[in-house]
Amino acid sequence: MADMLLCAMGADVPLRGNDAVATELVALDHPTAILCRTNANVSKWVMEAAKSGDTNFDATGTDEAIEFFSSVAALKKGKPGKGKYKLFKSWDEICAYSKTVDGADLANYIRLEREYGSSFVAETLKKVSKNEVETARRVISTAHRVKGMEFNEVL
């Protein structure tokens, strides 16, 4: 079933599971892991969970997002951005860049900033950011970061 869904989305690499482990597709209210394709989607899931009052999880892959939102907060105060965002001179410049082919990956971050505000997103991500997913109660991560790990209930 998962291969059919992935093929419908354009994926060309089939999934390989373990025949000894029973698997079923069901609706989940509180999965033990939410796996995403991008760091921006990790941030989106973190903010949606926090919005509903749920902070009982650990997130990985948030460093890039924290740098972005911290830079936006600084730029909005007239201060320079940080890291790879230090060359931007304003929030408007980042927004314009996000509309180009090279900057398209920032579009999800821009939406989160407009919905929640850069300072709130950065602080929320810092609170749940972990690098030790092996000991996490529940995980929101990119699939890449948890490659080889197993979870009981995955969204």
Side-chain angles (χ1 to χ4, degrees):
M1 177 69 150
D3 275 338
M4 290 189 312
L5 292 171
L6 289 170
C7 286
M9 295 186 316
D12 58 357
V13 178
L15 289 176
R16 301 281 184 246
N18 182 341
D19 291 334
V21 177
T23 303
E24 61 181 326
L25 296 176
V26 297
L28 298 172
D29 290 328
H30 298 286
T32 54
I34 297 174
L35 303 184
C36 306
R37 292 181 67 103
T38 66
N39 290 332
N41 280 333
V42 168
S43 299
K44 177 180 142 290
W45 278 101
V46 166
M47 295 312 297
E48 286 181 15
K51 182 176 165 180
S52 69
D54 179 9
T55 56
N56 189 27
F57 58 85
D58 294 328
T60 67
T62 56
D63 292 345
E64 174 186 305
I66 291 169
E67 181 180 72
F68 174 83
F69 291 108
S70 297
S71 292
V72 168
L75 287 167
K76 286 187 167 192
K77 293 176 183 174
K79 298 178 181 176
K82 302 170 184 179
K84 66 182 181 180
Y85 304 104
K86 65 183 173 190
L87 297 178
F88 290 99
K89 295 184 179 20
S90 69
W91 164 243
D92 290 336
E93 197 173 289
I94 288 182
C95 289
Y97 179 69
S98 75
K99 295 175 184 171
T100 68
V101 173
D102 290 337
D105 60 324
L106 297 180
N108 284 329
Y109 288 153
I110 300 286
R111 281 191 285 279
L112 287 173
E113 196 288 330
R114 288 183 173 147
E115 185 170 351
Y116 300 103
S118 52
S119 295
F120 181 67
V121 175
E123 290 308 310
T124 301
L125 292 173
K126 286 176 188 175
K127 286 179 189 173
V128 300
S129 181
K130 302 284 187 247
N131 293 319
E132 300 292 328
V133 296
E134 295 85 4
T135 59
R137 304 171 299 283
R138 196 158 55 103
V139 174
I140 300 176
S141 178
T142 59
H144 176 75
R145 290 240 180 195
V146 294
K147 192 174 187 175
M149 295 181 71
E150 295 182 16
F151 301 97
N152 291 331
E153 298 174 334
V154 178
L155 179 63

